[in-house]
Amino acid sequence: MITKWALAFGGLAGIVLVYRNWLHVNMATVALTLLLFILVLAARWGLRYAVVISIASTACYNFYFLPPVGTFTISDTENWLALLAFLTTAIIASRLSQAARNEANEASARQRELEMLFRLSRDLLQTESVASLLRSLPSAVVDVTAGRYGMLYLMEGQRAYEAGTHVVSKVELPHFHQLASTLSTASLEAEELLIPIRSGVRPKGLFLLRGVNLSVETANAIGGLISIAIDRAQALENVARGEAAKESERLRTLMIDSITHELRTPLTSIKGAATTLLASELGAEDRHELLSIIDEESDRLNRLVSEAVEMAQLDAQQVQIQFEIVAASKLITAARENCSWVEEKHSIVMEMQEELRLNVDPSLIEKVITNLLENAGKYSREGTQIKVTAEKQGEYVAISVADRGIGIDPAEQGLIFERFYRGRFNATGAPGTGMGLAISRAIVEAHGGRISVVSQPGQGSVFTVILPGAGPLES
Ligand code: ADP
């Protein structure tokens, strides 16, 4: 500020000195040079400097250049007029130049605000979840407006989200509530900008912004943007929730349909066997056969019901996964023990380069491996080999069960993981419910893993589960 004044007066003194002592030109040239200097001042530093220097220039012009030189007296009326014309021109020109300068400043401020609104809209309209939008919104507004502190207050649930150091206390909330319900346009008070957030005409909350210099129009536009962003995220979430509910309803109906269908077969067999037993005199052998049908079919019913319940729990995410660090070999051994009948009919070979550790729920994964071993046993000829391998795949461990059985038709490979799907082309007549692989897939995916199959009809199948590993076993 002081340097600017010193420079302005220094400039004036310089011009006077040059024209007095070295360059002897006519008075009009001196007047034009001074005028030019004043215009430059007005354009660069504003009207205040231009007016003061105009008056000082008039005095210097009179003293040093208008006859009689060296005095403030003016002998000629014509010179009076010249001096007056000089002062008026200087001041009018300065004002014009100041007005142009103000307009330019305003235009660039508007442009800056427009750019800011654009950036803010881009930031706010990217987030799709309401919770993360509300958390990031205050800091996005503070960043874009280069403010010091921002707080979003929402009337619904009396919630406040902040960015900056001030921490809103519970006592302040009713005050904000009151403000939000009455505020209709942005207002600036003592360095604090209050922006109403409304959905149509309904007040929804407010945004408090500190340390910014914004026009009311821009502040209102920010309010509009915030409100649109919140409404948009809410609408998107509602759509997603509606779709999830529809999907879960569809699954439930599908499940009930399949269960009723699947239950009917064993029930019909049991009913038929029981009726025959009751109605006719049968020999011991026939009776035994019918009783074993009842026994087998009720086992099947039992299995069906418990698997359906398990699947429903997995669907509803009611199964708690208890992650534990466990050795892969331990799980495989436990699974082998669960299905000892497979071992009786097949030779099971284990192949593992090193001991691998898994981070999984042991009881659930044991079930998956048991199911794979049972399937390998069911769908391959007696005496064939079953190979179990475990190998590291980055952070994961891949466990594979390979058989030399009947294989799976390529058209069916994508279907066998669906609930109740049983292979159409297998003529083995192996007992089953078609739920084993569906349950296995749900368990593996709940662990963040994957299950897949590679198979060739007539050659065999390899089922692979990829599960989270837990680094090498400490020695
Ligand atoms: P289930 O064995 O009770 O029928 P799963 O869900 O375990 O039900 O398997 C679904 C279908 O996938 C089976 O009916 C069978 O056709 C096919 N499948 C599963 N494992 C094998 C395998 N190792 N070899 C050949 N086919 C298989």
Side-chain angles (χ1 to χ4, degrees), residues 113 116 145 188 193 195 209 212-216 218-219 222:
E113 290 186 351
M116 193 182 76
T145 54
L188 183 70
L193 186 61
I195 308 172
L209 199 52
V212 292
N213 182 17
L214 292 178
S215 66
V216 172
T218 307
I222 291 179

Side-chain angles (χ1 to χ4, degrees), residues 300 303 307 371-380 401-403 405-409 412 415-426 428 430-440 453 455 460-463:
R300 188 159 127 82
R303 213 169 39 233
E307 283 180 351
N371 179 239
L372 294 182
L373 282 173
E374 278 185 336
N375 279 352
K378 277 195 304 192
Y379 302 109
S380 57
V401 177
D403 62 53
I406 57 168
I408 304 161
D409 192 88
E412 282 195 309
L415 298 169
I416 53 170
F417 295 99
E418 297 296 328
R419 49 200 84 185
F420 297 114
Y421 187 86
R422 301 212 65 209
R424 250 176 260 155
F425 304 110
N426 67 48
T428 53
T433 58
M435 288 291 275
L437 288 178
I439 292 179
S440 300
V453 64
S455 177
S461 316
V462 183
F463 280 85

Side-chain angles (χ1 to χ4, degrees), residues 148-296:
R148 237 183 314 113
Y149 169 80
M151 191 267 309
L152 170 71
Y153 172 78
L154 288 182
M155 295 171 80
E156 194 191 330
Q158 298 211 341
R159 287 167 294 161
Y161 302 87
E162 298 176 273
T165 41
H166 177 100
V167 176
V168 172
S169 70
K170 270 212 160 88
V171 238
E172 289 175 277
L173 296 178
H175 166 65
F176 289 133
H177 203 84
Q178 167 69 19
L179 262 178
S181 50
T182 49
L183 204 67
S184 62
T185 179
S187 81
L188 183 70
E189 255 174 60
E191 259 249 302
E192 235 182 47
L193 186 61
L194 283 173
I195 308 172
I197 311 290
R198 329 181 109 226
S199 202
V201 281
R202 197 166 47 86
K204 208 153 67 171
L206 60 81
F207 198 92
L208 184 152
L209 199 52
R210 289 199 188 123
V212 292
N213 182 17
L214 292 178
S215 66
V216 172
E217 292 80 25
T218 307
N220 280 328
I222 291 179
L225 262 181
I226 294 176
S227 168
I228 291 172
I230 297 176
D231 283 350
R232 176 180 169 275
Q234 247 152 12
L236 282 175
E237 268 194 10
N238 287 345
V239 170
R241 214 172 295 135
E243 267 168 18
K246 240 189 273 164
E247 176 63 11
S248 135
E249 189 52 42
R250 194 183 68 80
L251 284 178
R252 198 171 306 137
T253 326
L254 203 76
M255 184 98 169
I256 292 170
D257 284 353
S258 317
I259 291 176
T260 20
H261 180 254
E262 294 300 320
L263 291 181
R264 201 159 282 148
T265 327
L267 267 179
T268 315
S269 311
I270 294 173
K271 174 75 184 151
T275 315
T276 320
L277 270 174
L278 285 173
S280 41
E281 289 284 317
L282 295 170
E285 207 174 302
D286 290 339
R287 283 172 64 84
H288 183 263
E289 195 179 321
L290 286 173
L291 285 171
S292 20
I293 291 180
I294 295 180
D295 186 43
E296 272 169 27

